[in-house]
Every structure is written in C-alpha cells, then in structure tokens.
Amino acid sequence: MTQFAFILHPLRARDAARKYPIAKYLPESWVEAIIAKKRPMVLSEIKGIRSVHGEETSGWFIGLPLTPRQLTQTLPVEFVYSRLLECCQLAGAEGAKVIGLGAFTAVAGDAGVTLAQRSPIAVTTGNSYTVATAIEGALKACTLLEIVPERSSLAVVGATGSIGKTCAHVLGRSFGRTILIGRDLDRTKAVAETLRGAEATTDLNRLREADCVVTVTSSDAAIILPQHLRPGSVICDVARPRDVSCRVANERPDVLVIEGGLVEVPGDVNFGMNFGLEPKTAYACMAETIMLALENRAESYSLGKDVTVEQVDETQRWAQKHGFRLAGFRSFETAVSTESIERARKARLALQAQGA
C-alpha cells in the first residue's frame, strides 16, 4: 500500500490560538515571530480510505506553523523551502511516498518544483484535480440557475495562475464570452491571446458583466465585494482564504456563491482531526494526493505554474475509477439550501425579463 501525507498551515496568525491559546492576546507580528521558530509536526493519522475497487491507503496530516504572509511575502524563500523540506522528511519517516502541498504551501516559491527536486518523496500541489472539480461544480451550478454557457459570459479572477489559466482554457470553450481578470495587465493579456475571443482586464467591476465567475487568486484577503456581482450569477470560489467577501452572504441573496474543490472521499474515512469540512469530505488538492497513493504512483505530479488539460482529464478518470465525487454545494461554511438556489434563479429570470 502506498501511503501519503498532506501539509496544513494556519490561514491567519490568529489560527495559532487553536494550539497556543495565548496567541489570541498577542499582536499578529508577535505570533508570527513565535510560530516561525516552531518546527513541522504530525497533526493526525488518516485512516479508512477505500476505493470502490478495493484499493486502500492511509496517511498523515503534517502541520507547518507558517501563515500565508510568511510563506509568500515576509520570510526568505530558502527558509520556506527548508521548512517545507522538513515536512517532506517527516512524512517520509512516517512511511509516506507522496506529499500534497496545502493552501499557500502550493504557491510559495516556484509551486513545488524546487521542493520536488530536494524532497525524498514525491510532491504534488493537487492543482489538476482542483481544476477538474472547479469546472464540474461551476457547470453544475449553471445548470441549476438555467444559465446556458454558450449564450453567457464567463469571468476568471486570478487568470494568470496555474488553476485560473487552465479553468479559463477548459471552461472558456463552453461559454460565449470570456473575461480574464488579473493583477498584471500584460501577463493577463498574454493569457487572453491564447484563448479565442477572450478579453483581459485588471478591473473587478467587469464582474458585473459575467453570468459565471471562477475566482482563484492567492490574495490573503477577500477581494470580491457585493457591488461587483451581477444578479442571478454563479460564483465558484476556489481560493483559500476566500476571494469572496462574507458581506456577499448577507447583502447579495440574489447570487449563488459556492466553494470550489470539495470532494467526498470513498470509504469509512477518519481524518483524525477537524479541519472545518463535513465528515469524509476533503479539498480536491487533498483528494489528488490520495488518488496518487491509490494509483501507486509515487511520483511528483502537479507542479509549477501550469496545469495541463491532460492532467485535469487524468485526475477525473482516477476520481471516477476510485469513487471520488463532488460534495454537495457549500457556501461560507454551510450547505447551500434549495431556497438559496431558487432566489438566485429567480433573480436571473427577473434580469432577463428586463432585457439586461
């Protein structure tokens, strides 16, 4: 049996208070200075994963006590690599043959490329299956709101990143019009030039033109606000931390926000800890790491700034083979109700009746 590991880290300095309660009384800069001295650790053992074809695997969550800001902005990249390498060595000592990079560990440095060269075990960001589930979820939500892709507009926020770029390439084939939004206009234009009829912009207000939005930036704060969104639209938020502000949940009941990349894992799964999802549910990046183990493919997989369509298709085939499937829609930590879907659908029909 090939075993796996997956790296978790705090999304905010305040999250450190779950393990070190005194952290909630200290300035964030102090908390970050303290946790930077902490070494990676095994958080839990993961048991009970069983493919519908009978293959089994188990693994470990490895905790890396660094925040997104430390991983991508404030700490030297070589220090970040050294901590990530410690995670790989710790996982390897437990018996893992492949390790997944969770949240901002997947975007630190060169997105796993250098780490894979130094690591004693295989490495993946999990981005291929994340793309696959984002596309599947967005199209499913469009169907519920009676959005016909070929007559509608798609917007991808974070379009120059590996997930955003591939989502734009695959989903853009189905939609009548595609708007790419990035922080750097020249880089966004370069991506747009590879998609037929795509437009590039840095203006989030262009989201008001979109019927379906996929957002996947590496921002450490919400960037999509209530005033940005079109009534009756679908927003698939793949980013962690979220790109969509919590204000949208209260102020815009006429839009449907779904969390992208949530997957039901086959078997009687026990993750050994609560990381905020329903039982037996994982993020798609975790699921890709698990599927590599089930396939006995102890090899580095989704690395770097690009995800290929072939990798997306292959992870979809693995998911079908082993019984992984899209989890029910969630939005802001709760299950999406049929009433929420119906409100957004009626808002869309009302907008269409006005000829907008």
Side-chain angles (χ1 to χ4, degrees):
M1 176 173 66
T2 300
Q3 295 177 291
F4 68 93
F6 192 84
I7 302 175
L8 299 176
H9 71 89
L11 294 179
R12 294 165 292 274
R14 294 296 180 201
D15 291 345
R18 295 175 186 171
K19 186 169 180 61
Y20 309 106
I22 194 174
K24 59 186 173 185
Y25 303 109
L26 300 176
E28 289 195 2
S29 59
W30 289 24
V31 175
E32 289 188 333
I34 293 170
I35 63 176
K37 299 181 186 302
K38 300 290 183 182
R39 314 302 284 264
M41 67 202 81
V42 175
L43 296 177
S44 71
E45 188 171 359
I46 305 165
K47 301 177 180 177
I49 298 169
R50 183 181 176 86
S51 161
V52 294
H53 286 290
E55 297 91 342
E56 297 182 4
T57 187
S58 61
W60 297 267
F61 279 132
I62 306 296
L64 175 63
L66 296 178
T67 65
R69 206 164 67 97
Q70 290 174 302
L71 285 163
T72 60
Q73 298 177 36
T74 61
L75 290 176
V77 68
E78 281 299 328
F79 178 85
V80 172
Y81 283 152
S82 69
R83 284 287 194 255
L84 289 171
L85 182 57
E86 287 181 43
C87 292
C88 298
Q89 292 167 336
L90 182 57
E94 293 290 337
K97 301 297 184 189
V98 57
I99 192 166
L101 305 179
F104 278 65
T105 64
V107 296
D110 55 8
V113 175
T114 298
L115 180 64
Q117 292 167 351
R118 301 177 182 179
S119 171
I121 62 175
V123 176
T124 186
T125 61
N127 283 349
S128 298
Y129 192 47
T130 297
V131 171
T133 55
I135 291 168
E136 184 181 352
L139 290 175
K140 185 176 179 181
C142 283
T143 300
L144 293 174
L145 265 59
E146 300 181 26
I147 295 172
V148 180
E150 56 266 33
R151 299 202 298 268
S152 304
S153 296
L154 166 73
V156 178
V157 186
T160 59
S162 62
I163 296 175
K165 190 161 46 179
T166 309
C167 281
H169 273 280
V170 179
L171 268 178
R173 296 180 302 199
S174 301
F175 281 81
R177 179 181 175 221
T178 300
I179 302 167
L180 304 183
I181 302 177
R183 285 184 302 181
D184 183 295
L185 185 58
D186 288 339
R187 289 178 58 203
T188 310
K189 281 182 175 177
V191 176
E193 288 171 358
T194 65
L195 279 79
R196 183 171 55 84
E199 306 167 46
T201 180
T202 59
D203 184 3
L204 283 169
N205 290 309
R206 294 288 305 276
L207 290 177
R208 283 197 289 268
E209 303 170 29
D211 305 285
C212 176
V213 177
V214 175
T215 182
V216 56
T217 77
S218 56
S219 170
D220 59 2
I223 58 171
I224 297 178
L225 304 176
Q227 63 269 26
H228 290 139
L229 301 169
R230 178 184 176 87
S233 58
V234 168
I235 300 92
C236 180
D237 191 348
V238 188
R240 296 293 178 277
R242 295 187 194 92
D243 284 340
V244 180
S245 167
C246 291
R247 286 176 51 203
V248 172
N250 298 321
E251 299 176 27
R252 294 298 305 271
D254 57 337
V255 301
L256 177 61
V257 180
I258 60 172
E259 296 175 6
L262 299 183
V263 178
E264 291 181 19
V265 179
D268 189 16
V269 186
N270 182 353
F271 289 109
M273 63 176 289
N274 180 1
F275 51 95
L277 301 182
E278 296 295 320
K280 303 182 183 180
T281 303
Y283 293 110
C285 51
M286 294 178 187
E288 180 178 310
T289 312
I290 296 169
M291 291 192 293
L292 280 167
L294 288 171
E295 286 284 306
N296 288 317
R297 288 180 59 164
E299 60 188 67
S300 294
Y301 196 73
S302 304
L303 297 178
K305 303 298 183 184
D306 294 301
V307 172
T308 68
V309 174
E310 289 75 19
Q311 287 175 309
V312 174
D313 291 341
E314 185 169 45
T315 57
Q316 281 184 314
R317 287 195 296 273
W318 293 345
Q320 291 167 1
K321 172 183 174 183
H322 293 295
F324 290 76
R325 61 183 183 181
L326 204 64
F329 288 146
R330 285 170 57 89
S331 181
F332 301 103
E333 311 294 348
T334 60
V336 172
S337 66
T338 54
E339 290 79 10
S340 298
I341 295 170
E342 188 60 15
R343 276 198 300 270
R345 192 183 72 84
K346 286 182 176 177
R348 176 172 184 78
L349 293 177
L351 196 67
Q352 288 177 331
Q354 297 168 12

